[in-house]
Amino acid sequence: MVISGGFGVGKTTAVGAISEIEPLTTEAAITEVAAGVDDLTHTPLKTTTTVAMDFGCLTIDPTLKLYLFGTPGQERFGFMWDDIVEGAVGGLVIVDTRRLDDCYAAVDYFEHRGIPFAVAANAFDGKVEHTLEEIRWALDVTEGVPVVVFDARERGSVRDALLVVLELALARTGA
């Protein structure tokens, strides 16, 4: 399962909240150069960023274990995505509703490759800035793409969002 989205939307946080193992992260300090490239407006306290991927896992039941791969959010690291999604059953595109345009690349990526995915609006400060229908319209995703609200910090909330993707993927296989 791939967890993707723009810079600072909560991908690393979501993997850390749900993984049953200590997640592997590739966090690096945000340098002055990167701070000039990456928009820190909505994440002023962010001091690190994912430069390769995050990895965790989650056992759904004795016969099903999900391996979680979090992508880097900056487009300059997009060249890694093809390797990260190889064999993925689906994707969760996390969005910050204060800056929806940051996730267009992730939505386009999954749509163009035919990988089932859901959109999860991260409830920063306990709220989202738009309704689910407004998010769907802004991202131009079909009714077949689930759009949910979740909190990347809360294990149960992340689990529920991942289960939406898993159900979507299983429905595509006829299982």
Side-chain angles (χ1 to χ4, degrees), residues 34-104:
V37 175
D38 300 324
D39 182 3
L40 299 173
T41 305
H42 294 287
T43 55
L45 302 177
K46 188 168 177 59
T47 60
T48 62
T49 187
T50 302
V51 295
M53 70 173 180
D54 299 314
F55 174 78
C57 65
L58 173 66
T59 302
I60 302 297
D61 67 35
T63 65
L64 182 60
K65 183 175 238 175
L66 287 181
Y67 294 101
L68 310 170
F69 296 89
T71 65
Q74 301 93 323
E75 286 189 43
R76 66 182 175 277
F77 296 120
F79 66 91
M80 292 184 267
W81 282 38
D82 287 340
D83 291 329
I84 293 172
V85 303
E86 183 71 30
V89 297
L92 183 67
V93 176
I94 300 176
V95 301
D96 178 344
T97 58
R98 301 169 296 184
R99 48 196 174 98
L100 288 170
D101 56 332
D102 287 355
C103 71
Y104 292 155

Side-chain angles (χ1 to χ4, degrees), residues 112-156:
H112 289 120
R113 282 158 185 81
I115 299 170
F117 72 98
V119 172
N122 197 356
F124 286 94
D125 301 320
K127 63 182 179 191
V128 293
E129 299 291 320
H130 304 284
T131 68
L132 296 181
E133 280 309 309
E134 290 170 335
I135 295 167
R136 178 180 302 287
W137 179 85
L139 299 180
D140 193 28
V141 292
T142 68
E143 291 293 325
V145 175
V147 180
V148 299
V149 174
F150 89 130
D151 187 327
R153 300 166 299 176
E154 295 185 11
R155 181 177 177 81

